Amino acid sequence: MRNVIIITLSSIVVAFAYNFLLIPHEILSGGLSGIAIMLGIVTPLNTGVLNLLLNLPLLIIGVMKLGKRFISYTILSVAVLSVSLYIIPVYKATQEPILASLFGGVIVGLAMGLIFRAAGSSGGFDIIAMLLSRKRDFPLGTLLAAMNGIVVAVSGFVFSWDAALLTLVSIYATGKVVDTIHTSHIKLTLMIITNKGEEVKQQLLEKLHRGVTIIDAKGAYSGEGRKVLITVITRYQLADVKSTIKETDPKSFVNILQTTEVIGMFDRGTSK
């Protein structure tokens, strides 16, 4: 329920930032939302309707390919954002385009970061990037930056290069704030010490496409046998993994380390 509330409120905040700051100055956001904003400006269709239509095919693919919790939260975010864009009127909160671009980007980044921390996403390019990163081990940040670059270029040709530069400022501000709150492409090494090694292992293998190494250990004080599970995940998966471990063994001890580099096969469906 906490995650649902966070995602719902954050999606509404994103819609306010779009309709009050970005759209009135023909400034785009990153991702499919940016394309929806552009089409909403140049066509009679509402941005909220376009955002939903553009995301629909990706959400269907995501239901089949990505985790149920992640895609459920993403569907919630897309739905709330689309409805909010439809309901909230477009209003020019400031006459200064640079202020609209900068503060719009910061507000969107803050809300998006909270959505990511709640194990969801805003759909669009996030889903594309996650699907591609499962095929090849590209950083999500690099994939998103490349796709957002296309949005900036299109903005320049459709509107003006001033609008494109303002869009670039907005996307950059959004990315920096999101990185501060939740950096998706960082990899983490988890060392999980638990009495329920098999149960935790089974849950991780079912919900992650990652390898899991199991080591036999013994508690120094108690002398009792333990299992140490080691796995590498993306920061994007952390909220789901923490929830899974807590549900399976609330008494487990988990050490989370930031990983500099991974060499070898990162995506696995079976334990090492």
Side-chain angles (χ1 to χ4, degrees):
M1 183 55 66
R2 175 176 172 271
N3 285 347
V4 169
I5 293 171
I6 290 173
I7 290 170
T8 300
L9 294 178
S10 297
S11 299
I12 294 172
V13 170
V14 172
F16 270 105
Y18 286 171
N19 282 0
F20 277 42
L21 295 168
L22 301 185
I23 292 177
H25 293 279
E26 296 184 343
I27 301 169
L28 308 184
S29 70
L32 279 186
S33 296
I35 297 175
I37 290 173
M38 181 186 65
L39 293 176
I41 293 172
V42 300
T43 70
L45 295 176
N46 182 272
T47 303
V49 174
L50 290 165
N51 187 66
L52 184 61
L53 292 176
L54 289 174
N55 275 284
L56 198 56
L58 293 175
L59 293 174
I60 293 171
I61 295 172
V63 168
M64 297 183 289
K65 298 289 186 180
L66 301 175
K68 291 181 180 178
R69 179 178 300 179
F70 169 79
I71 202 64
S72 297
Y73 287 159
T74 300
I75 291 171
L76 172 64
S77 176
V78 170
V80 173
L81 175 58
S82 299
V83 171
S84 299
L85 285 170
Y86 187 82
I87 294 173
I88 298 170
V90 176
Y91 173 76
K92 188 177 284 190
T94 175
Q95 300 300 318
E96 292 293 333
I98 187 65
L99 290 178
S101 174
L102 184 57
F103 281 96
V106 168
I107 293 170
V108 170
L110 177 62
M112 292 291 189
L114 292 174
I115 291 172
F116 290 150
R117 283 179 69 92
S121 86
S122 59
F125 286 177
D126 294 328
I127 296 177
I128 295 173
M130 286 198 71
L131 291 171
L132 290 176
S133 69
R134 287 195 171 189
K135 300 296 182 183
R136 295 187 173 218
D137 186 22
F138 294 139
L140 287 178
T142 302
L143 292 169
L144 291 171
M147 289 185 284
N148 284 333
I150 297 172
V151 173
V152 173
V154 170
S155 174
F157 285 108
V158 173
F159 300 119
S160 67
W161 291 108
D162 283 346
L165 292 175
L166 289 170
T167 294
L168 186 60
V169 170
S170 174
I171 292 175
Y172 179 79
T174 296
K176 295 303 286 185
V177 175
V178 168
D179 282 347
T180 301
I181 297 174
H182 180 98
T183 307
S184 306
H185 63 270
I186 286 178
K187 293 182 178 61
L188 304 170
T189 297
L190 270 63
M191 297 181 63
I192 308 161
I193 303 173
T194 174
N195 289 322
K196 300 181 178 180
E198 283 301 313
E199 293 93 328
V200 175
K201 181 199 78 172
Q202 204 58 42
Q203 287 295 317
L204 292 177
L205 291 180
E206 286 178 7
K207 297 182 179 181
L208 301 175
H209 294 268
R210 304 289 178 243
V212 180
T213 297
I214 301 180
I215 301 173
D216 290 320
K218 184 170 70 172
Y221 178 76
S222 66
E224 296 179 359
R226 301 276 194 277
K227 294 290 184 182
V228 179
L229 282 67
I230 303 174
T231 187
V232 179
I233 63 172
T234 66
R235 183 77 178 266
Y236 211 82
Q237 299 171 303
L238 182 59
D240 255 351
V241 172
K242 286 166 66 175
S243 176
T244 297
I245 295 171
K246 187 175 180 180
E247 290 171 4
T248 309
D249 183 9
K251 296 183 179 179
S252 63
F253 177 85
V254 183
N255 185 24
I256 303 172
L257 304 169
Q258 184 170 317
T259 301
T260 304
E261 184 179 3
V262 175
I263 299 173
M265 193 171 183
F266 182 51
D267 291 305
R268 288 179 180 270
T270 57
S271 61
K272 298 177 183 177

